[in-house]
Amino acid sequence: MEISPESRSHQDIYKILIGTVLPRPIAWVSTVDPSGNLNLAPFSFFTVASVNPPILCFSPLLQENASEKDTLANINQTRDFVVNIVSYDVAEAMNLTSGPYPSDVNEFDVAGVTPKQSTFVGPPCVAESLVNFECKLQEVIPLGSEPMAGNLILGKVCNIHIHPDIVRNGTVDHEALDAIGRLGGDMYTTIRDCFEMERPAI
């Protein structure tokens, strides 16, 4: 079976992409607009882009009317954001922030989570998240202007908060972090069922 993206609707391609590129980690991104309104929203088009310098990237899609989501608009204006990692314990709170709320709605309040002052950026961290990455905008790369086009946001990590309870022998214990991943539709997964393979020595 072969599928030409040009022959299908963007909704069809979206379902194929999110149903096959998985599991996807979740960036729970906190931002603030120039008026001080807080925003918190999850994005599963998210990964590490570089280590030296440390760069995280995620890609908010344009909405069905081709307008920017609040997260993208806020970052374009303030150039600051925080990526909060989503553990199983805050999964329901994260899900509550995924709705299309008006820009003046504070999703911290909607989700019942606590804004914690960041050290170097304007937006707060999610206090209940076990890992927070304070980021300064490196670059936004627009990938299109039509509905559901991505906007690749590259952020340089300027500070990292890690809860001491998840650190074991100097490294982060993935079992203690208990991060979740996004699948297709309304499905999520944990990383509790793991296996190990040594990389080949060449």
Side-chain angles (χ1 to χ4, degrees):
M1 180 178 183
E2 296 185 21
I3 297 172
S4 169
E6 294 182 356
S7 68
R8 298 292 187 94
S9 70
H10 57 261
Q11 285 288 354
D12 287 343
I13 300 304
Y14 174 74
K15 290 176 182 177
I16 292 170
L17 290 171
I18 66 168
T20 54
V21 182
L22 48 83
R24 299 184 304 282
I26 301 167
W28 202 11
V29 180
S30 45
T31 59
V32 61
D33 71 14
S35 299
N37 296 307
L38 299 182
N39 181 266
L40 182 61
F43 299 90
S44 68
F45 292 4
F46 161 58
T47 192
V48 176
S50 173
V51 175
N52 186 19
I55 303 288
L56 297 180
C57 66
F58 73 102
S59 184
L61 304 182
L62 295 180
Q63 302 185 88
E64 282 296 339
N65 62 1
S67 65
E68 295 181 349
K69 293 183 177 179
D70 292 337
T71 299
L72 175 60
N74 291 349
I75 291 172
N76 273 326
Q77 294 177 85
T78 68
R79 304 186 67 81
D80 286 356
F81 60 96
V82 179
V83 173
N84 306 279
I85 299 301
V86 181
S87 298
Y88 182 79
D89 285 347
V90 294
E92 290 189 15
M94 176 277 300
N95 188 50
L96 286 173
T97 66
S98 66
Y101 301 102
S103 58
D104 61 349
V105 170
N106 182 343
E107 287 88 355
F108 281 85
D109 292 339
V110 170
V113 293
T114 310
K116 180 181 73 174
Q117 184 173 349
S118 297
T119 306
F120 296 109
V121 299
C125 301
V126 175
E128 290 79 4
S129 179
L130 299 175
V131 182
N132 321 95
F133 296 96
E134 297 183 31
C135 298
K136 294 282 189 181
L137 178 63
Q138 179 96 356
E139 186 177 1
V140 177
I141 304 174
L143 302 174
S145 58
E146 298 298 317
M148 299 188 77
N151 293 268
L152 185 62
I153 295 175
L154 301 169
K156 185 174 182 179
V157 177
C158 61
N159 199 35
I160 305 171
H161 305 255
I162 300 179
H163 197 288
D165 288 352
I166 67 170
V167 178
R168 305 280 190 272
N169 300 318
T171 61
V172 174
D173 183 333
H174 70 268
E175 292 183 354
L177 177 58
D178 202 18
I180 64 170
R182 193 78 163 88
L183 303 176
D186 292 330
M187 298 299 294
Y188 293 82
T189 186
T190 66
I191 55 170
R192 297 171 186 173
D193 184 15
C194 301
F195 63 95
E196 185 175 4
M197 292 192 294
E198 290 188 13
R199 298 179 72 172
I202 307 298

